[in-house]
């Protein structure tokens, strides 16, 4: 049903192993995590946040006795924690607030570790990621001097409204200027929401020219809602 998460259950996941339930926005990112032998929730995003019962239902259905929950959105961390408390399995929440944090956490997962050690390693990895998101405002808002109207292109820095623009490119460039990326090493641009590859590649080239030593990767994420999801490490 639209707005509800859909779980995929890889055959490689079985009792005795640790399951990872993550909230992903769909597009081409979710199959990547399915291929890693985890169980992503497909359907999270700007207007489709899973609830405590959603997490609880998937946690109970997970073919594993232990699980880690990755909210990947600050708005659903509480729901994930409530579900972890109610679930009859051993469940811990890694409080990821963005998709890039979730990706970094997933890369730090090691099934040879126990549940607690994995949660600690994944949370540590997530903390080292700066996230930028370029999307469309779903309502009028004002925060810290930034005022936007419904339908305007906006930039979020670590889940906080930071900039607004009249176009996707303007908002993206303004957001990148506020991310202090000159002190970082790797920038990954996940483009989606109908954005053309050539447009994303042009932004990647502009970043390379402005910050010569940065490694820049441009990936077709195919995600809805977000024109760009930017990971900076």
């Amino acid at each position: 049903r639209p707005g509800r998460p859909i779980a995929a259950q890889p055959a490689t996941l079985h009792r005795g192993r640790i399951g990872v339930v993550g909230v992903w926005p769909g597009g081409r990112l979710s199959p990547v995590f399915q291929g890693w032998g985890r169980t992503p929730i497909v359907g999270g995003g700007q207007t489709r946040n899973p609830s405590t019962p959603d997490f609880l239902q998937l946690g109970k259905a997970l073919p594993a006795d232990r699980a880690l929950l990755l909210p990947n959105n600050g708005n659903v961390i509480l729901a994930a924690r409530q579900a972890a408390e109610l679930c009859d399995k051993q469940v811990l929440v890694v409080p990821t607030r963005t998709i890039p944090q979730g990706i970094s956490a997933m890369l730090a997962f090691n099934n040879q570790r126990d549940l607690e050690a994995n949660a600690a390693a994944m949370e540590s990895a997530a903390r080292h990621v700066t996230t930028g998101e370029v999307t469309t405002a779903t309502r009028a808002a004002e925060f810290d001097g930034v005022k936007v109207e419904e339908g305007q292109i906006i930039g979020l820095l670590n889940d906080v409204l930071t900039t607004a623009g009249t176009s996707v490119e303007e908002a993206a460039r303004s957001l990148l200027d506020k991310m202090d990326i000159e002190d970082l090493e790797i920038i990954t641009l996940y483009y989606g929401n109908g954005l053309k590859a050539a447009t994303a590649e042009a932004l990647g080239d502009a970043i390379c020219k402005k910050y010569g030593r940065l490694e820049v990767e441009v990936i077709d994420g195919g995600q809805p809602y977000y024109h760009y999801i930017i990971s900076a490490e």
Side-chain angles (χ1 to χ4, degrees):
R1 192 166 76 215
R4 297 278 292 185
I6 304 168
Q9 306 244 346
T12 55
L13 190 58
H14 54 77
R15 296 192 181 278
R17 295 179 69 85
I18 298 173
V20 180
V21 178
V23 180
W24 309 104
R28 296 171 184 81
L29 290 174
S30 297
V32 173
F33 299 99
Q34 292 174 359
W36 284 352
R38 311 291 181 257
T39 302
I41 294 177
V42 181
Q46 199 177 31
T47 60
R48 301 172 65 186
N49 292 331
S51 64
T52 296
D54 292 330
F55 279 118
L56 191 59
Q57 178 183 352
L58 290 172
K60 288 181 176 180
L62 193 69
D65 297 319
R66 298 167 296 161
L68 295 160
L69 299 187
L70 304 182
N72 299 336
N73 185 324
N75 294 327
V76 297
I77 290 177
L78 178 59
R81 284 177 169 155
Q82 290 173 337
E85 292 176 359
L86 295 171
C87 190
D88 56 6
K89 298 180 180 180
Q90 188 179 7
V91 180
L92 294 178
V93 175
V94 180
T96 49
R97 305 184 68 85
T98 66
I99 296 299
Q101 284 190 350
I103 292 171
S104 183
M106 288 293 291
L107 290 171
F109 178 86
N110 184 339
N111 205 55
Q112 301 304 310
R113 300 192 193 102
D114 63 25
L115 191 70
E116 291 78 7
N118 260 310
M122 294 166 77
E123 184 170 352
S124 177
R127 282 198 298 266
H128 290 87
V129 178
T130 298
T131 300
E133 295 164 312
V134 179
T135 185
T136 302
T138 57
R139 59 183 175 83
E142 184 172 0
F143 181 81
D144 200 19
V146 180
K147 186 176 181 180
V148 300
E149 301 296 332
E150 180 179 351
Q152 189 173 6
I153 304 297
I154 58 174
L156 307 176
L157 177 55
N158 293 327
D159 212 23
V160 175
L161 176 63
T162 303
T163 187
T166 57
S167 69
V168 171
E169 181 177 2
E170 180 186 352
R173 287 176 179 267
S174 178
L175 180 61
L176 285 162
D177 286 342
K178 296 178 182 297
M179 291 177 70
D180 297 325
I181 60 176
E182 63 272 6
D183 298 324
L184 303 175
E185 297 179 357
I186 303 171
I187 298 291
T188 305
L189 300 176
Y190 299 94
Y191 67 92
N193 202 33
L195 207 65
K196 299 295 184 182
T199 301
E201 292 287 354
L203 179 60
D205 290 342
I207 296 172
C208 287
K209 290 177 181 178
K210 186 171 183 178
Y211 306 99
R213 68 178 188 84
L214 272 177
E215 178 182 340
V216 180
E217 187 172 7
V218 179
I219 296 176
D220 180 5
Q223 69 273 359
Y225 310 117
Y226 300 94
H227 306 289
Y228 288 110
I229 297 175
I230 305 170
S231 174
E233 302 179 62

